[in-house]
Amino acid sequence: MNFMESFYTALEGIWANKMRSALTMLGIIIGITSVIAVTALGEGGQKAINDEMEKFGQNTFNVFINWDTKEKIESDDLTIDDAAVLGRISPAIEYIVPYSGTTIELKGPKKEERANLTATTADYFNIQKRMKVTKGRLFSDTDDKEQRAVVVLEDKLGEKLFGQMNPIGQRVRWGNNSLVVIGTYSEEKFKFDMGQETFGAVVPIQYYNSLLEEPSIHSFMGTAVDKASVNSAMQQAKQYLTRKHQKNDHYMVRSMQESVDQFNQLTGTLTLIFSIIAGISLVVGGVGVMNIMLVSVTERTREIGIRKALGARRSDILIQFLIESIIVCLIGGLVGVLCGLGIAALISHFANLPPLLSWNSVFIAFGFSSAIGIFFGLYPANKAAKLDPIEALRYE
């Protein structure tokens, strides 16, 4: 019996027991579906998050107080002058600005609305490439130095506060403070922000500090001249602040790339864990294949005896049952791949994630399916091949 005859005989055996074969494939299908779906969604989600984070700037970094510091935290640990000096003396830093933020209630002619207030300098707008002016202007270094009570609103916030009115030149109230709206901007949001929708407002930091009893800076936000200079820029900022304020291990620096790398490591680990869990069902499916193939050998004992009596070699019987086992697993693997990609496409559609077809996972799935067919089919096939033809013919 040649290979093609064995192949057709195996297909006939599978087709003759359609329900049993389908149930045997079910474990393989579930396992492959899970592995493909998890891998596709993991890689798709990872790429989507990376693309979003890159929009915030690959060269950006932040400087802030180390939360594990043993030094006393003081209001002048970060100052406006520190940021200005760093911007002048560090060749690796393109822009660096002081940054403070809080949530406030802004009141306009139409309504009162919660807003995320950012207090910073004019160079902040050079760092935030996602911000585009829609009306009016952004505040300048002069506005900041003269502590002018001006504010730039996110355009959607302006619509809520002023309705159809043009907000430029109008006033909004923040507690007892009155600010003149000099401009509005649009900002591309982080696509996967699941929190409550809030809108931004930006004011000069020297005006903001003039309202506080004890002015302080939350952090610095900076950009390096290029991606290769990010580490140098962070190191120079930390060294300067440590030397200036005489506090060791008091400052931390973190780049956007570090956040991306940490996210990639986390998603990679989670994808691997879920894939291993999903792979367990493949082993369970393989045990099911072995069980059914043993049943098939028992049912076809007389057939095996007849084939051997007519001259079939041991290798012919072995190959016939091994091919049948592999075909069951490969059909299950194919259906599993299609189901996995379909489920990943559905989930990514509703979760707004780009599904990625990972050819590696597809090849691994088919390879694993074949390996299961060979591994778990080898014992039943070998058992069938070793049957004594006289004993097989006597079997009832």
Side-chain angles (χ1 to χ4, degrees):
M1 180 182 289
N2 60 32
F3 176 81
M4 291 306 298
E5 288 177 348
S6 298
F7 180 77
Y8 289 128
T9 302
L11 287 178
E12 289 173 1
I14 294 171
W15 186 254
N17 299 280
K18 294 185 285 292
M19 180 59 71
R20 188 171 71 184
S21 299
L23 292 175
T24 304
M25 296 174 190
L26 191 58
I28 303 296
I29 292 172
I30 292 173
I32 297 295
T33 297
S34 303
V35 171
I36 295 294
V38 167
T39 305
L41 286 173
E43 293 187 5
Q46 193 175 78
K47 184 178 186 304
I49 296 293
N50 288 348
D51 290 345
E52 284 296 303
M53 286 184 170
E54 285 181 4
K55 292 177 184 177
F56 285 74
Q58 291 181 306
N59 303 344
T60 60
F61 63 93
N62 293 92
V63 184
F64 45 93
I65 305 299
N66 186 351
W67 49 76
D68 289 332
T69 182
K70 296 179 181 178
E71 304 276 0
K72 181 181 178 182
I73 297 177
E74 299 176 308
S75 60
D76 62 349
D77 284 338
L78 295 170
T79 67
I80 296 174
D81 289 339
D82 287 338
V85 171
L86 274 170
R88 290 197 303 269
I89 68 173
S90 173
I93 296 176
E94 183 179 22
Y95 299 106
I96 186 165
V97 299
Y99 177 95
S100 290
T102 187
T103 302
I104 63 171
E105 295 288 338
L106 280 179
K107 187 175 183 180
K110 297 297 182 181
K111 64 182 297 188
E112 189 171 1
E113 188 72 28
R114 182 177 293 272
N116 291 329
L117 182 71
T118 297
T120 185
T121 61
D123 278 340
Y124 175 77
F125 303 108
N126 294 320
I127 296 175
Q128 295 290 7
K129 305 294 186 183
R130 298 167 298 116
M131 299 174 65
K132 306 295 181 184
V133 179
T134 53
K135 291 180 182 178
R137 65 177 180 87
L138 305 173
F139 64 76
S140 63
D141 287 329
T142 302
D143 294 321
D144 187 32
K145 290 176 183 177
E146 296 184 1
Q147 300 181 10
R148 293 174 181 171
V150 294
V151 63
V152 182
L153 302 177
E154 189 172 349
D155 49 8
K156 292 182 180 179
L157 178 60
E159 291 173 5
K160 288 180 176 293
L161 296 177
F162 293 94
Q164 298 300 317
M165 295 173 55
N166 184 355
I168 305 304
Q170 305 294 326
R171 289 185 175 271
V172 292
R173 296 198 63 82
W174 163 32
N176 296 324
N177 307 298
S178 177
L179 297 90
V180 178
V181 179
I182 61 171
T184 62
Y185 66 90
S186 62
E187 182 177 18
E188 187 176 355
K189 299 287 187 179
F190 186 60
K191 188 185 295 184
F192 306 104
D193 186 2
M194 300 301 181
Q196 183 180 1
E197 186 178 25
T198 54
F199 307 105
V202 190
V203 299
I205 195 164
Q206 299 212 47
Y207 163 73
Y208 176 78
N209 282 349
S210 70
L211 305 177
L212 305 177
E213 294 182 4
E214 190 175 17
S216 63
I217 306 299
H218 292 172
S219 63
F220 290 166
M221 181 182 296
T223 57
V225 291
D226 53 45
K227 190 175 180 179
S229 303
V230 173
N231 288 334
S232 297
M234 293 192 298
Q235 187 176 12
Q236 290 166 13
K238 185 176 181 180
Q239 288 176 345
Y240 169 78
L241 292 170
T242 299
R243 185 174 63 252
K244 166 76 180 301
H245 297 276
Q246 296 295 306
K247 293 182 177 181
N248 294 321
D249 298 323
H250 192 64
Y251 299 96
M252 288 185 67
V253 288
R254 183 173 295 276
S255 68
M256 179 62 70
Q257 189 59 49
E258 286 177 325
S259 299
V260 171
D261 292 341
Q262 285 185 346
F263 173 80
N264 289 341
Q265 184 178 7
L266 175 62
T267 55
T269 302
L270 290 176
T271 300
L272 177 62
I273 292 172
F274 288 135
S275 297
I276 291 173
I277 294 173
I280 294 173
S281 64
L282 283 174
V283 178
V284 175
V287 173
V289 171
M290 178 185 286
N291 183 47
I292 293 303
M293 292 307 298
L294 286 171
V295 171
S296 179
V297 169
T298 303
E299 287 179 345
R300 296 159 66 183
T301 300
R302 285 182 61 82
E303 176 190 331
I304 294 169
I306 294 171
R307 288 181 183 276
K308 281 200 164 187
L310 293 175
R313 295 168 297 176
R314 178 180 173 180
S315 59
D316 295 330
I317 304 298
L318 179 69
I319 291 173
Q320 177 187 339
F321 281 90
L322 198 56
I323 288 175
E324 187 172 331
S325 173
I326 293 173
I327 289 174
V328 168
C329 292
L330 285 179
I331 293 174
L334 176 61
V335 175
V337 168
L338 296 176
C339 290
L341 294 176
I343 290 174
L346 285 175
I347 295 176
S348 63
H349 173 73
F350 291 108
N352 201 21
L353 289 173
L356 291 182
L357 175 58
S358 173
W359 288 109
N360 287 337
S361 63
V362 173
F363 292 142
I364 289 171
F366 271 108
F368 206 52
S369 297
S370 302
I372 287 174
I374 295 171
F375 182 79
F376 288 100
L378 194 59
Y379 175 73
N382 188 55
K383 182 180 178 181
K386 289 167 62 176
L387 284 175
D388 182 84
I390 296 175
E391 294 296 326
L393 287 169
R394 288 176 178 174
Y395 184 80
E396 293 294 340

